[in-house]
Each structure stands twice: as C-alpha cells, then as structure tokens.
Amino acid sequence: MANVESFDLDHTRVTAPYIRLAGVKTTPRGDSISKYDLRLLQPNQAEIEPAALHTLEHLLAGYLRDHLSDVVDVSPMGCRTGMYMAVIGEPDEQGVLRAFEAALRDTAAHDRPIPGVSELECGNYRNHDLQGARQHAADALAQGLKVQQTVLIER
Ligand SMILES: [Zn+2]
C-alpha cells in the first residue's frame, strides 16, 4: 500500500487548534499543490458531531475561499477533529493561519441559512447543526490557533 503522510504524524504530540502544512506536491507541469490540516479539536480527546461537522464543511467551503485564493478543496477529516485543505501554490503558513481565523470568525457569526442546504445541492441536507458549527468555530478562536510543526512518529 502507498505511504500516507498523515499516518506518520505523531497525533499525541500536537496541540489543537492549529494549522499544519502536511505536504507539497508538484504536478508534472511544475505547479505546486499544498495540503494543510486545519485541526479544531485535540486528536483522541474530542470529536465534532457529524451534523456540526457537515455544517462546518458547508460554511468553510465558502468562507475560506473568501480569505485565501486558489483553494482546491476543504473536506472533513474522517476522525472528525478538523478539516483537510488543498490549495494551489505554496501560500505562507502565517497567511493560511490568518485566513483560517477569518473564516472561523465568519462561521461563528453566521446567522443566515446554511448555503447549499437542499435536496438538490447536498447529499444529506437534513443532517446539519448550525449552532454546533458556530460553537466549534468560536471555541477554536477562543483557544487561539497556531502553526503546528510536523512531529513524526519515531519508528
Ligand atoms: Zn452537504
């Protein structure tokens, strides 16, 4: 099986909430694509309920793009402690941190309908929790986000 970068991260030696540059890939044409972890909760100590995580996905999809250009994708982590983000190029980590903080502020303040919530637009439109999403965003901001360096598992 191919090696997967995130399985080499020592999840016991990180401190959430944080952003972490997980890796940079270069395409055959020479463009780079950076992958980030946007971690909201401490691994193996807490988890975001599925409905709130789904709403965070819908809100951050738009708000992150408002604050950071060339975002390719923002998707929930299966462990439900945060999101993955892929972005074209190699934006500096402080810029990504500020963009994520700004997107979380927008999310925490979101008091309108959740975008993309209909049977036409979403794969599980009944499964949302705006209050929960807002609370997770506010909690992460209150704790203070940082840039987390990668700590590899010593094998
Ligand atoms: Zn959806």
Side-chain angles (χ1 to χ4, degrees), residues 5 14 21 24 33-34 42 46 55 72 76 81 87-88 90 93 109 116-117 119 123 125 129-131 136 148:
E5 187 275 341
V14 294
L21 177 63
V24 180
I33 297 173
S34 302
Q42 187 64 22
T55 302
V72 177
T81 60
V87 57
I88 296 170
E90 298 179 51
E93 292 176 320
V117 175
E119 194 172 2
Y125 76 100
D129 175 6
L130 177 57
Q131 270 317 111
H136 280 292
Q148 172 74 54

Side-chain angles (χ1 to χ4, degrees), residues 6-7 20 34-35 38 51 62 66 73-74 82 88 90 105 117-118 121 123 155:
S6 71
F7 296 159
R20 180 182 72 96
S34 302
K35 188 182 165 218
L38 310 175
D66 287 348
D73 183 48
V74 186
I88 296 170
E90 298 179 51
R105 278 195 295 274
V117 175
S118 72
E121 300 164 300
R155 298 185 197 272

Side-chain angles (χ1 to χ4, degrees), residues 54-55 58 113-122 124-126 128:
H54 186 189
T55 302
H58 277 237
I114 302 163
V117 175
S118 72
E119 194 172 2
L120 276 179
E121 300 164 300
C122 177
N124 194 355
Y125 76 100
R126 295 182 194 88
H128 279 277

